[in-house]
Amino acid sequence: HEPLRRCLGDFEQQLFAQAERARQHVQQQDLYGSRQRVLQDRTQFEHRFIIKLAEAFNALEEADPAAPASTDAAGKKPWQSLELLDPVEQELTIAVDQLGARGETRHSSVLYELGYRLAVLVGMPPLEGARLPLGPHALTLAFHEASAGLQLPLAHQLLLLQSFDQWLIHSLAPLYDNIN
């Protein structure tokens, strides 16, 4: 909880500093509005984040590596459907994926051990990448999904992800060492 609180506190301070330096009234109001949402929704945000992490652990029980690819209601595989791409969602998805990949590279040796330990506990093949519930990919995805409730503009969401990288992803090594 403490690194998450520091992350949100740092993000709130960055928003305040940017608002003080803003030259346009509208930009300043957007920054103050985002800061206010973070201050008001901090407890609910932490709760949503923990729930998303619990869902990642619960997905281990439901996942069957030998199961065939999923299909939608029309019987088509997900990659066969076409839809327009939202540029904001695409940019956020890319940022979340990059953040998870950097974190995985940064903590690769302890993640390797953790993936094997958790796999033995749940009786599955070694867990890695997004399938590892406490890995950087899963943590970043849970953080991103929890932050959706804040309804921040794209620039503020990216700033929040940078703060998450600085305060949580960088400080994961001691947590992984303790778990291992």
Side-chain angles (χ1 to χ4, degrees):
H1 286 282
E2 189 55 36
L4 184 61
R5 288 186 182 121
R6 279 186 264 145
C7 167
L8 293 175
D10 178 62
F11 174 63
E12 178 265 322
Q13 289 175 355
Q14 287 181 30
L15 288 174
F16 183 79
Q18 286 185 7
E20 291 296 311
R21 290 189 308 257
R23 296 183 186 268
Q24 298 175 352
H25 176 69
V26 174
Q27 183 184 20
Q28 188 178 46
Q29 286 303 106
D30 286 344
L31 290 161
Y32 281 136
S34 293
R35 180 177 178 258
Q36 190 63 33
R37 281 192 294 277
V38 170
L39 289 172
Q40 290 174 346
D41 199 24
R42 181 178 287 222
T43 304
Q44 291 86 4
F45 177 85
E46 290 177 14
H47 183 69
R48 286 191 306 265
F49 180 66
I50 298 300
I51 287 174
K52 294 296 179 184
L53 286 180
E55 288 174 3
F57 275 100
N58 291 338
L60 284 177
E61 295 175 356
E62 299 163 4
D64 182 7
S70 64
T71 58
D72 65 5
K76 295 181 181 179
K77 291 184 180 179
W79 57 267
Q80 290 177 328
S81 63
L82 295 176
E83 59 185 47
L84 293 176
L85 200 59
D86 179 16
V88 172
E89 190 58 38
Q90 180 185 15
E91 189 163 344
L92 284 172
T93 301
I94 290 170
V96 167
D97 288 344
Q98 288 176 344
L99 187 60
R102 280 195 311 265
E104 195 167 286
T105 301
R106 190 177 297 128
H107 303 293
S108 61
S109 61
V110 289
L111 286 173
Y112 179 78
E113 294 174 17
L114 181 63
Y116 269 90
R117 280 178 175 45
L118 286 177
V120 168
L121 291 174
V122 296
M124 295 178 74
L127 302 170
E128 53 187 24
R131 295 198 56 222
L132 185 59
L134 284 177
H137 281 286
L139 289 172
T140 305
L141 185 60
F143 187 83
H144 172 62
E145 290 173 357
S147 69
L150 296 173
Q151 299 176 347
L152 300 173
L154 174 63
H156 302 174
Q157 289 179 20
L158 293 174
L159 187 64
L160 179 59
L161 286 172
Q162 288 174 355
S163 190
F164 175 76
D165 182 35
Q166 179 184 358
W167 289 102
L168 272 88
I169 298 297
H170 280 289
S171 64
L172 286 175
L175 173 69
Y176 292 148
D177 286 336
N178 286 338
I179 293 171
N180 282 331

